[in-house]
């Protein structure tokens, strides 16, 4: 077998294994909760033969949360992959660069005044988060960009860290003024809790992913060119600044909308592209879908573990992701040649 054919076969196997693991986690997650449903009960309920209680547990509580976990993992991982591609910085991530913090600040302000989860606020949250993330990204981009030099990866990272620190300070000021009930909710949300566990949140999040993910996958070849550096990309005829802005806007839209329903889940946009790159290589035609699958798998597995390990309470998904992701990131640092 030729090396190229062998590599293609291996990449296909990797994608298939990731998809199979997601399906397994999906099935396991449907059986886990305060009220346990046996696999046969889940199967009967899926085919409309379960009791009213089983139908309520599965379709009104568990399935929306599982679907949201998959969507959030996909959105955050692809967003991180885009940012690493356009900045050529392996540490670029919506959380580290402050994008998540900007979205979170706007959502926190909204929740402070409108704590209800009615239909109108639910559909407004991703839009508000996108506005907050967009303004933060514009500020970071403006401060990082230098004329005749372009976007410096190191400058982008340092600026993002500084802006994130400032926004975090503003969020602390906001939390001080909250009532105890709202403070408890906001604290849980900031830890990375998938709090929007109904179909309204799925419908609010889905349009962003349906529109932005095909666009990003279409731009995979552009990301490959941008990875070569601004001068080389310009020499190859790519409009570097325009493509960077378009892809950055897509990354901000994905990260902001996901943060609106998941809170501060970190490490997804940082770890998953790294892991996907080790599995399928750096070609974005494969790296983007592999990152999406890896992110979905990590979030749904973390949410399932968080709901199971301390029943009847639960651990916020963001904390479980950090516990799982931090050791792997440290492993990556020890293996790095830098």
């Amino acid at each position: 077998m030729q090396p190229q054919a062998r590599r293609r076969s291996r990449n296909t196997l990797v994608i298939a294994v990731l998809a199979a693991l997601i399906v397994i986690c999906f099935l396991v997650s449907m059986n886990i909760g305060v009220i346990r449903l046996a696999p046969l009960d889940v199967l009967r309920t899926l085919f409309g033969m379960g009791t009213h209680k089983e139908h309520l547990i599965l379709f009104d509580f568990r399935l929306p949360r599982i679907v949201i976990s998959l969507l959030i993992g996909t959105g955050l991982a692809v967003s991180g992959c885009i940012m690493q591609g356009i900045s050529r910085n392996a540490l670029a991530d919506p959380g580290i660069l402050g994008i998540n913090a900007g979205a979170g600040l706007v959502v926190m302000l909204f929740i402070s005044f409108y704590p209800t989860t009615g239909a109108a606020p639910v559909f407004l949250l991703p839009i508000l988060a996108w506005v907050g993330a967009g303004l933060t990204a514009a500020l970071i981009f403006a401060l990082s960009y230098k004329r005749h030099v372009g976007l410096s990866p190191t400058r982008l990272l340092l600026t993002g860290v500084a802006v994130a620190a400032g926004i975090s300070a503003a969020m602390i000021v906001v939390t001080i003024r909250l009532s105890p009930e709202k403070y408890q909710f906001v604290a849980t949300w900031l830890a990375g809790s998938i709090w929007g566990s109904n179909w309204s949140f799925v419908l609010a999040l889905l349009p962003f992913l349906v529109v932005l993910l095909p666009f990003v996958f279409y731009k995979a070849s552009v990301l490959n060119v941008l990875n070569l550096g601004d001068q080389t990309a310009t020499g190859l005829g790519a409009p570097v600044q325009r493509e960077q802005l378009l892809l950055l806007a897509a990354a901000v839209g994905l990260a902001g909308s996901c943060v609106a329903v998941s809170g501060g889940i970190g490490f997804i946009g940082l770890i998953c592209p790294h892991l996907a790159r080790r599995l399928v290589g750096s070609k974005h035609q494969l790296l983007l879908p592999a990152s999406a699958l890896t992110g979905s798998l990590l979030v749904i597995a973390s949410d399932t573990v968080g709901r199971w390990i301390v029943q009847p309470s639960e651990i916020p998904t963001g904390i479980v992701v950090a516990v799982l992701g931090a050791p792997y990131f440290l492993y990556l640092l020890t293996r790095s040649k830098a």
Side-chain angles (χ1 to χ4, degrees), residues 168-183:
S168 298
M171 295 172 78
I172 292 174
V173 173
V174 173
T175 56
I176 293 175
R177 302 176 60 88
L178 295 176
S179 65
E181 294 79 12
K182 293 180 183 178
Y183 177 81

PDB file of all heavy atoms in Angstrom, residues 168-183:
ATOM      1  N   SER A 168     -12.234  39.874  33.320  1.00  0.00           N
ATOM      2  CA  SER A 168     -12.471  39.067  34.521  1.00  0.00           C
ATOM      3  C   SER A 168     -12.640  39.957  35.753  1.00  0.00           C
ATOM      4  O   SER A 168     -13.483  39.687  36.617  1.00  0.00           O
ATOM      5  CB  SER A 168     -11.320  38.088  34.736  1.00  0.00           C
ATOM      6  OG  SER A 168     -11.207  37.183  33.660  1.00  0.00           O
ATOM      7  N   ALA A 169     -11.847  41.030  35.825  1.00  0.00           N
ATOM      8  CA  ALA A 169     -11.990  41.973  36.935  1.00  0.00           C
ATOM      9  C   ALA A 169     -13.362  42.643  36.903  1.00  0.00           C
ATOM     10  O   ALA A 169     -14.018  42.814  37.953  1.00  0.00           O
ATOM     11  CB  ALA A 169     -10.885  43.022  36.880  1.00  0.00           C
ATOM     12  N   ALA A 170     -13.811  43.001  35.696  1.00  0.00           N
ATOM     13  CA  ALA A 170     -15.136  43.608  35.563  1.00  0.00           C
ATOM     14  C   ALA A 170     -16.233  42.624  35.973  1.00  0.00           C
ATOM     15  O   ALA A 170     -17.239  43.010  36.595  1.00  0.00           O
ATOM     16  CB  ALA A 170     -15.350  44.068  34.121  1.00  0.00           C
ATOM     17  N   MET A 171     -16.050  41.345  35.655  1.00  0.00           N
ATOM     18  CA  MET A 171     -17.040  40.336  36.029  1.00  0.00           C
ATOM     19  C   MET A 171     -17.106  40.176  37.546  1.00  0.00           C
ATOM     20  O   MET A 171     -18.183  39.961  38.116  1.00  0.00           O
ATOM     21  CB  MET A 171     -16.705  39.002  35.354  1.00  0.00           C
ATOM     22  CG  MET A 171     -16.822  39.055  33.845  1.00  0.00           C
ATOM     23  SD  MET A 171     -16.228  37.570  33.009  1.00  0.00           S
ATOM     24  CE  MET A 171     -17.597  36.465  33.256  1.00  0.00           C
ATOM     25  N   ILE A 172     -15.968  40.297  38.220  1.00  0.00           N
ATOM     26  CA  ILE A 172     -15.964  40.213  39.682  1.00  0.00           C
ATOM     27  C   ILE A 172     -16.757  41.373  40.280  1.00  0.00           C
ATOM     28  O   ILE A 172     -17.523  41.202  41.236  1.00  0.00           O
ATOM     29  CB  ILE A 172     -14.513  40.202  40.204  1.00  0.00           C
ATOM     30  CG1 ILE A 172     -13.819  38.903  39.794  1.00  0.00           C
ATOM     31  CG2 ILE A 172     -14.486  40.359  41.729  1.00  0.00           C
ATOM     32  CD1 ILE A 172     -12.339  38.861  40.140  1.00  0.00           C
ATOM     33  N   VAL A 173     -16.580  42.563  39.702  1.00  0.00           N
ATOM     34  CA  VAL A 173     -17.331  43.727  40.179  1.00  0.00           C
ATOM     35  C   VAL A 173     -18.827  43.504  40.015  1.00  0.00           C
ATOM     36  O   VAL A 173     -19.625  43.836  40.897  1.00  0.00           O
ATOM     37  CB  VAL A 173     -16.879  44.998  39.429  1.00  0.00           C
ATOM     38  CG1 VAL A 173     -17.764  46.183  39.800  1.00  0.00           C
ATOM     39  CG2 VAL A 173     -15.419  45.305  39.742  1.00  0.00           C
ATOM     40  N   VAL A 174     -19.211  42.916  38.880  1.00  0.00           N
ATOM     41  CA  VAL A 174     -20.634  42.652  38.637  1.00  0.00           C
ATOM     42  C   VAL A 174     -21.170  41.644  39.643  1.00  0.00           C
ATOM     43  O   VAL A 174     -22.282  41.802  40.175  1.00  0.00           O
ATOM     44  CB  VAL A 174     -20.850  42.150  37.194  1.00  0.00           C
ATOM     45  CG1 VAL A 174     -22.301  41.717  36.989  1.00  0.00           C
ATOM     46  CG2 VAL A 174     -20.479  43.235  36.195  1.00  0.00           C
ATOM     47  N   THR A 175     -20.406  40.588  39.927  1.00  0.00           N
ATOM     48  CA  THR A 175     -20.891  39.556  40.850  1.00  0.00           C
ATOM     49  C   THR A 175     -21.074  40.090  42.269  1.00  0.00           C
ATOM     50  O   THR A 175     -21.926  39.614  43.012  1.00  0.00           O
ATOM     51  CB  THR A 175     -19.923  38.356  40.886  1.00  0.00           C
ATOM     52  OG1 THR A 175     -18.610  38.821  41.245  1.00  0.00           O
ATOM     53  CG2 THR A 175     -19.860  37.672  39.538  1.00  0.00           C
ATOM     54  N   ILE A 176     -20.284  41.094  42.643  1.00  0.00           N
ATOM     55  CA  ILE A 176     -20.414  41.668  43.987  1.00  0.00           C
ATOM     56  C   ILE A 176     -21.785  42.298  44.195  1.00  0.00           C
ATOM     57  O   ILE A 176     -22.338  42.279  45.290  1.00  0.00           O
ATOM     58  CB  ILE A 176     -19.289  42.696  44.232  1.00  0.00           C
ATOM     59  CG1 ILE A 176     -17.932  41.980  44.286  1.00  0.00           C
ATOM     60  CG2 ILE A 176     -19.521  43.475  45.522  1.00  0.00           C
ATOM     61  CD1 ILE A 176     -16.753  42.922  44.391  1.00  0.00           C
ATOM     62  N   ARG A 177     -22.363  42.812  43.119  1.00  0.00           N
ATOM     63  CA  ARG A 177     -23.638  43.518  43.211  1.00  0.00           C
ATOM     64  C   ARG A 177     -24.843  42.591  43.064  1.00  0.00           C
ATOM     65  O   ARG A 177     -25.983  43.053  43.095  1.00  0.00           O
ATOM     66  CB  ARG A 177     -23.693  44.606  42.141  1.00  0.00           C
ATOM     67  CG  ARG A 177     -22.562  45.629  42.236  1.00  0.00           C
ATOM     68  CD  ARG A 177     -22.623  46.631  41.087  1.00  0.00           C
ATOM     69  NE  ARG A 177     -23.891  47.350  41.094  1.00  0.00           N
ATOM     70  CZ  ARG A 177     -24.107  48.474  41.774  1.00  0.00           C
ATOM     71  NH1 ARG A 177     -23.134  48.983  42.527  1.00  0.00           N
ATOM     72  NH2 ARG A 177     -25.271  49.075  41.729  1.00  0.00           N
ATOM     73  N   LEU A 178     -24.597  41.286  42.878  1.00  0.00           N
ATOM     74  CA  LEU A 178     -25.698  40.350  42.670  1.00  0.00           C
ATOM     75  C   LEU A 178     -26.309  39.910  43.988  1.00  0.00           C
ATOM     76  O   LEU A 178     -25.645  39.887  45.027  1.00  0.00           O
ATOM     77  CB  LEU A 178     -25.207  39.117  41.905  1.00  0.00           C
ATOM     78  CG  LEU A 178     -24.714  39.336  40.475  1.00  0.00           C
ATOM     79  CD1 LEU A 178     -24.187  38.032  39.911  1.00  0.00           C
ATOM     80  CD2 LEU A 178     -25.820  39.889  39.587  1.00  0.00           C
ATOM     81  N   SER A 179     -27.569  39.519  43.931  1.00  0.00           N
ATOM     82  CA  SER A 179     -28.219  38.916  45.088  1.00  0.00           C
ATOM     83  C   SER A 179     -27.651  37.518  45.301  1.00  0.00           C
ATOM     84  O   SER A 179     -27.056  36.935  44.385  1.00  0.00           O
ATOM     85  CB  SER A 179     -29.728  38.835  44.855  1.00  0.00           C
ATOM     86  OG  SER A 179     -30.011  37.957  43.776  1.00  0.00           O
ATOM     87  N   PRO A 180     -27.808  36.936  46.506  1.00  0.00           N
ATOM     88  CA  PRO A 180     -27.252  35.597  46.758  1.00  0.00           C
ATOM     89  C   PRO A 180     -27.743  34.548  45.772  1.00  0.00           C
ATOM     90  O   PRO A 180     -26.973  33.676  45.344  1.00  0.00           O
ATOM     91  CB  PRO A 180     -27.713  35.289  48.185  1.00  0.00           C
ATOM     92  CG  PRO A 180     -27.881  36.632  48.824  1.00  0.00           C
ATOM     93  CD  PRO A 180     -28.372  37.533  47.733  1.00  0.00           C
ATOM     94  N   GLU A 181     -29.040  34.615  45.388  1.00  0.00           N
ATOM     95  CA  GLU A 181     -29.580  33.618  44.460  1.00  0.00           C
ATOM     96  C   GLU A 181     -28.928  33.737  43.080  1.00  0.00           C
ATOM     97  O   GLU A 181     -28.507  32.754  42.475  1.00  0.00           O
ATOM     98  CB  GLU A 181     -31.105  33.786  44.328  1.00  0.00           C
ATOM     99  CG  GLU A 181     -31.885  33.494  45.603  1.00  0.00           C
ATOM    100  CD  GLU A 181     -31.831  34.658  46.589  1.00  0.00           C
ATOM    101  OE1 GLU A 181     -31.384  35.770  46.184  1.00  0.00           O
ATOM    102  OE2 GLU A 181     -32.215  34.464  47.761  1.00  0.00           O
ATOM    103  N   LYS A 182     -28.835  34.988  42.585  1.00  0.00           N
ATOM    104  CA  LYS A 182     -28.218  35.190  41.283  1.00  0.00           C
ATOM    105  C   LYS A 182     -26.727  34.876  41.327  1.00  0.00           C
ATOM    106  O   LYS A 182     -26.153  34.357  40.356  1.00  0.00           O
ATOM    107  CB  LYS A 182     -28.428  36.632  40.818  1.00  0.00           C
ATOM    108  CG  LYS A 182     -29.877  36.979  40.513  1.00  0.00           C
ATOM    109  CD  LYS A 182     -29.984  38.428  40.070  1.00  0.00           C
ATOM    110  CE  LYS A 182     -31.429  38.813  39.832  1.00  0.00           C
ATOM    111  NZ  LYS A 182     -31.556  40.240  39.433  1.00  0.00           N
ATOM    112  N   TYR A 183     -26.084  35.186  42.437  1.00  0.00           N
ATOM    113  CA  TYR A 183     -24.651  34.924  42.559  1.00  0.00           C
ATOM    114  C   TYR A 183     -24.368  33.431  42.473  1.00  0.00           C
ATOM    115  O   TYR A 183     -23.404  33.013  41.831  1.00  0.00           O
ATOM    116  CB  TYR A 183     -24.115  35.476  43.877  1.00  0.00           C
ATOM    117  CG  TYR A 183     -22.652  35.166  44.090  1.00  0.00           C
ATOM    118  CD1 TYR A 183     -21.668  35.953  43.485  1.00  0.00           C
ATOM    119  CD2 TYR A 183     -22.249  34.073  44.862  1.00  0.00           C
ATOM    120  CE1 TYR A 183     -20.318  35.668  43.663  1.00  0.00           C
ATOM    121  CE2 TYR A 183     -20.902  33.784  45.033  1.00  0.00           C
ATOM    122  CZ  TYR A 183     -19.950  34.586  44.432  1.00  0.00           C
ATOM    123  OH  TYR A 183     -18.628  34.282  44.595  1.00  0.00           O
TER     124      TYR A 183
END
